[in-house]
């Protein structure tokens, strides 16, 4: 398992970047999200990709060169303590084809935050740079623009400041009881499956693996999870945390599918964690040693997610 370098904790006065590596964000929510970050005392630079509209494909924020240029610049510039992704959608894997990793110093980690399509980026950062990161709220989606007082925003800020040492999932369900330790990995399942066979895929051997997804018909979700099973991806996994699977069919059918696909792995499995799409989400740190207790419904961070 990769040993991850943790980014520095954020504090007022830090300069942060906001970019889009995927689809075009809604500008009203983007502006609100930027104001929310500024209210926390950060100096915010919004890159061109976050303002770009679609080119020949309206689901992409500008062209691939623009998105990769912005991502490379933000990762490489030591002035930035953190990079907040504007939104998900689709396009991060196209962006990764053009990122110039040679310009980025692995010894100068910075927090990178996002979820959904950003899963591809978080996994790439782990492989190429060895940085920990954060599967958490996007600046221009959900309720980020509400800022302080919003559950998802507040828990993200607390995570980035190093004041969270345990995630508790009060409504979670035990699929397989037990306690497991490993380094946290994962994200949106369809993105992890789509990355298999690329140079930015990071198998979850020895890991506490987090999975969630959205808008997948049940049979497609079955195919995604089965692909992860049949590949080397879940071979040797230590434990599994399952978040939301919103709009993936009848929740009872989804629960049966999750149990069917993971119970026989013989490792602790917890379902129903409040992390994922279309809910007030907790932030899941990537690359942190942790202890999962599926009966207590907790994930204890054995080291801080920020230095």
């Amino acid at each position: 398992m990769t040993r991850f370098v943790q980014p520095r904790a954020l504090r007022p006065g830090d300069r942060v970047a906001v970019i889009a590596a995927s689809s075009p964000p809604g500008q009203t929510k983007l502006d609100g999200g930027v104001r929310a970050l500024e209210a926390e005392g950060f100096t915010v630079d919004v890159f061109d990709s976050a303002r770009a509209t679609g080119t020949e494909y309206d689901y992409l924020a500008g062209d691939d060169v623009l998105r990769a240029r912005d991502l490379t610049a933000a990762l490489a510039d030591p002035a930035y303590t953190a990079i907040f992704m504007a939104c998900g959608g689709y396009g991060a894997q196209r962006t990764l084809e053009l990122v110039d990793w040679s310009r980025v110093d692995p010894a100068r980690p910075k927090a990178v935050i996002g979820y959904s399509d950003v899963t591809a980026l978080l996994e790439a950062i782990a492989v190429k740079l060895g940085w920990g990161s954060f599967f958490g709220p996007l600046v221009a989606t959900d309720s980020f623009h509400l800022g302080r007082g919003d559950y998802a925003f507040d828990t993200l800020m607390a995570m980035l400041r190093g004041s969270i040492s345990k995630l508790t999932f009060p409504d979670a369900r035990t699929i397989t009881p037990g306690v497991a330790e490993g380094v946290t990995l994962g994200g949106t399942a369809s993105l992890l499956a789509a990355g298999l066979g690329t140079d930015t895929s990071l198998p979850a051997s020895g890991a506490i693996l987090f999975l969630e997804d959205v808008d997948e018909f049940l049979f497609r979700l079955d195919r995604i999870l089965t692909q992860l099973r049949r590949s080397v991806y879940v071979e040797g996994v230590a434990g599994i945390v399952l978040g939301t699977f919103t709009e993936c069919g009848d929740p009872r059918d989804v629960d049966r599918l999750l149990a069917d696909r993971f119970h026989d792995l013989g490792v602790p499995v917890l379902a129903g964690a409040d992390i994922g799409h279309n809910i007030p989400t907790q932030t899941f740190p990537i690359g942190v040693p942790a202890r999962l207790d599926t009966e207590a419904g907790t994930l204890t961070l054995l080291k801080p997610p920020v230095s």
Side-chain angles (χ1 to χ4, degrees):
M1 177 58 63
T2 300
R3 288 192 175 185
F4 291 85
V5 181
Q6 305 306 326
R8 176 176 68 74
L10 268 64
R11 51 179 178 255
D14 283 339
R15 182 174 294 276
V16 303
V18 174
I19 73 169
S22 304
S23 295
Q27 295 300 300
T28 299
K29 278 197 171 183
L30 175 64
D31 290 339
V34 169
R35 289 192 294 270
L37 290 173
E38 291 173 338
E40 296 299 306
F42 305 132
T43 298
V44 183
D45 291 342
V46 180
F47 280 51
D48 290 345
S49 57
R51 299 297 187 189
T53 56
T55 53
E56 71 247 65
Y57 303 114
D58 60 6
Y59 52 79
L60 296 175
D63 60 28
D64 298 345
V65 172
L66 170 63
R67 297 192 313 280
R69 184 192 70 199
D70 280 3
L71 178 57
T72 302
L75 289 170
D77 192 334
Y80 297 114
T81 306
I83 303 170
F84 290 84
M85 307 307 295
C87 70
Y90 174 76
Q93 289 186 323
R94 292 178 62 122
T95 303
L96 292 175
E97 288 189 309
L98 299 178
V99 173
D100 185 357
W101 298 103
S102 68
R103 289 181 51 195
V104 186
D105 184 356
R108 301 179 69 98
K110 56 194 67 180
V112 180
I113 305 101
Y115 76 107
S116 195
D117 195 57
V118 180
T119 296
L121 172 58
L122 302 184
E123 191 174 35
I125 287 170
V127 172
K128 297 293 188 180
L129 303 174
W131 295 358
S133 59
F134 301 90
F135 187 90
L138 296 153
V139 175
T141 66
D142 303 320
S143 56
F144 194 104
H145 65 285
L146 298 177
R148 191 175 300 175
D150 175 73
Y151 175 76
F153 184 88
D154 287 348
T155 53
L156 171 61
M157 290 299 120
M159 180 74 71
L160 294 175
R161 290 175 175 134
S163 58
I164 290 181
S165 59
K166 179 185 288 189
L167 279 66
T168 301
F169 312 115
D171 298 323
R173 307 173 298 280
T174 301
I175 290 180
T176 307
V179 176
E181 292 188 5
V183 174
T184 54
L185 290 182
T188 301
S190 55
L191 271 297
L192 297 171
L196 291 171
T198 70
D199 66 348
T200 57
S201 180
L202 181 59
S205 177
I208 302 297
L209 173 64
F210 168 74
L211 296 172
E212 66 87 47
D213 223 310
V214 65
D215 289 338
E216 297 288 353
F217 290 120
L218 192 68
F219 76 90
R220 294 201 310 219
L221 182 60
D222 189 331
R223 181 171 59 208
I224 290 164
L225 301 180
T226 300
Q227 184 180 11
L228 293 175
R229 282 174 57 99
R230 294 185 65 218
S231 72
V232 299
Y233 189 83
V234 299
E235 185 176 319
V237 69
I240 298 175
V241 179
L242 301 169
T244 62
F245 290 85
T246 315
E247 305 301 328
C248 291
D250 188 313
R252 294 168 296 182
D253 293 335
V254 173
D255 279 353
R256 282 194 293 268
L257 176 63
L258 295 176
D260 173 76
R261 295 290 74 196
F262 295 118
H263 179 68
D264 67 346
L265 296 180
V267 301
V269 180
L270 183 74
D274 58 336
I275 307 173
H277 287 76
N278 302 336
I279 63 164
T281 183
Q282 294 195 65
T283 295
F284 186 84
I286 303 292
V288 179
R291 179 185 300 114
L292 171 66
D293 186 330
T294 65
E295 292 179 282
T298 59
L299 182 73
T300 302
L301 308 182
L302 302 179
K303 289 186 178 179
V306 289
S307 63

